[in-house]
Amino acid sequence: MGPAELVQAAAMARRFYLEGKSKIQIAEEFGVSRFKVARVLETALERDLVRIEIRVPAELDAERSDALRARYGLRHAVVVESPPEGEDASPDPENLGEVAADLLGELVAEGDVLGLAWGRSTIHMAAALDRLPPCTVVQLTGVYDAGTAERGSVEAVRRAAQVSGGEAHPIYAPMLLPDPATAAALRNQTGIARAFEYFDKVTVAAVSIGSWEPGISTVHDMLTDEERAHYASLGVAAEMSAHLFDSAGRRVGRDLGERCITVEADRLRRIPEVVAIAGGRRKAAAIGAVLRSGLVTSLVTDTMAADFLLAEFTPGPRPALDRADPDD
């Protein structure tokens, strides 16, 4: 390009990229066709006269996020950088909760009903919340241990309601009970029954995911050795809100739900936006299983889990988009 062409290209690029003028407006100003403007702008990019840089915060991986969203049919996928190897051995890195808190600030609208399931990730998320429109907050599961309620999901519900200025509906009960009769009796208690009445009104939910191994699955750690062996024989690969899934996303061990205080899978599937928060290599396969279940719509994860999920993806149905039940 000669000097006149360079000057003209620079001027057109400034009008288009910095001043926001349309190609038709630029064409009228310079007395050329809009096709000429388009060619000049394309040449400016090719000749490095114009450089386009897309910048997101360093901890977010935009490329992996978009690839994960597209391949699994997710509504939203946010991938954050995994901690350097050996620096954070926690199965639920706190930075996932911080990013999930920001995502909820985007997704929740005034008048919504926000549901929170038990999980370390959702507890980290609630602690990081600093903005939420006025909304009602309801607990979707019992707690891992009734003795830890104050620092667990009950406190998470209270925290979210405090930030939003809305009502809180916690559940003061363990997630897993000794038998179905005890669980049924608790569900009929006034406070718990009131929380359950809100389940069909939930518009946005946040859930955690666990893989079937000690310390990574809440349910696994609450069962006896004999019970763990039984569910392992059914092919359980993942757990979410006390629901068990095999590697294909099909629910297994449904009898366990009769002993649990938790939102039913069918109700979860009807919630418009269900955000799963989970990351790390140890949870990667479990995340894939839950994505295939059709129960979640969005995911906050890290680069380590995202790389596994992208590598194992095979073309086919995208239940996270269709909300399809693999058992149907």
Side-chain angles (χ1 to χ4, degrees):
M1 299 175 73
E5 291 176 310
L6 284 169
V7 169
Q8 184 185 65
M12 288 183 176
R14 178 174 294 278
R15 304 289 195 280
F16 186 73
Y17 292 108
L18 299 183
E19 299 175 13
K21 291 188 175 181
S22 69
K23 293 174 184 176
I24 293 176
Q25 290 173 315
I26 297 170
E28 291 175 350
E29 178 182 348
F30 287 88
V32 298
S33 71
R34 61 186 178 89
F35 301 105
K36 167 72 172 177
V37 174
R39 286 196 299 272
V40 170
L41 293 175
E42 185 176 341
T43 301
L45 284 171
E46 292 173 350
R47 300 292 179 86
D48 212 22
L49 186 62
V50 172
R51 296 182 182 179
I52 297 176
E53 187 176 10
I54 300 172
R55 308 182 94 181
V56 296
E59 69 271 16
L60 297 182
D61 192 310
E63 186 175 350
R64 284 185 175 92
S65 298
D66 187 55
L68 202 58
R69 178 201 57 77
R71 293 198 192 182
Y72 283 86
L74 293 162
R75 191 168 295 139
H76 304 283
V78 182
V79 178
V80 305
E81 288 292 336
S82 298
E85 191 170 353
E87 184 172 301
D88 188 350
S90 168
D92 299 282
E94 291 192 20
N95 62 335
L96 293 184
E98 294 166 1
V99 173
D102 288 339
L103 179 61
L104 278 195
E106 290 183 52
L107 298 180
V108 176
E110 184 173 351
D112 275 348
V113 177
L114 171 63
L116 299 181
W118 194 96
R120 298 178 188 88
S121 297
T122 51
I123 291 170
H124 292 328
M125 179 206 67
L129 283 171
D130 58 11
R131 63 185 177 96
L132 269 182
C135 65
T136 299
V137 186
V138 60
Q139 192 169 323
L140 296 178
T141 65
V143 296
Y144 171 65
D145 180 346
T148 64
E150 287 302 313
R151 62 179 182 274
S153 46
V154 170
E155 183 57 33
V157 169
R158 288 175 175 167
R159 167 66 182 168
Q162 180 184 33
V163 172
S164 74
E167 295 181 2
H169 294 276
I171 293 177
Y172 296 96
M175 182 187 294
L176 180 67
L177 282 303
D179 54 70
T182 304
L186 276 177
R187 291 190 201 101
N188 289 326
Q189 289 189 355
T190 303
I192 297 175
R194 186 177 299 118
F196 267 64
E197 289 173 0
Y198 274 91
F199 286 179
D200 287 328
K201 303 174 185 177
V202 174
T203 49
V204 180
V207 300
S208 295
I209 295 173
S211 57
W212 197 245
E213 58 179 301
I216 313 295
S217 164
T218 300
V219 172
H220 180 282
D221 293 345
M222 289 192 288
L223 296 173
T224 65
D225 290 341
E226 184 179 353
E227 290 170 329
R228 290 176 193 137
H230 165 66
Y231 291 117
S233 71
L234 301 179
V236 60
E239 173 257 316
M240 179 184 69
S241 302
H243 299 295
L244 309 182
F245 307 87
D246 66 14
S247 59
R250 294 183 295 262
R251 290 180 59 212
V252 296
R254 298 189 183 211
D255 60 303
L256 183 67
E258 298 175 5
R259 296 169 49 195
C260 293
I261 303 296
T262 185
V263 61
E264 300 94 328
D266 290 341
R267 278 176 157 173
L268 262 179
R269 200 181 305 279
R270 292 195 295 268
I271 296 174
E273 183 74 77
V274 180
V275 180
I277 312 162
R281 179 61 186 83
R282 294 175 67 186
K283 283 191 175 184
I287 296 169
V290 172
L291 290 183
R292 296 183 190 96
S293 75
L295 291 175
V296 303
T297 60
S298 299
L299 175 67
V300 177
T301 190
D302 61 5
T303 51
M304 193 171 294
D307 285 344
F308 176 90
L309 292 168
L310 291 170
E312 76 154 7
F313 176 82
T314 54
R318 298 187 297 174
L321 179 66
D322 304 328
R323 309 303 294 275
D325 188 340
D327 289 328
D328 290 344

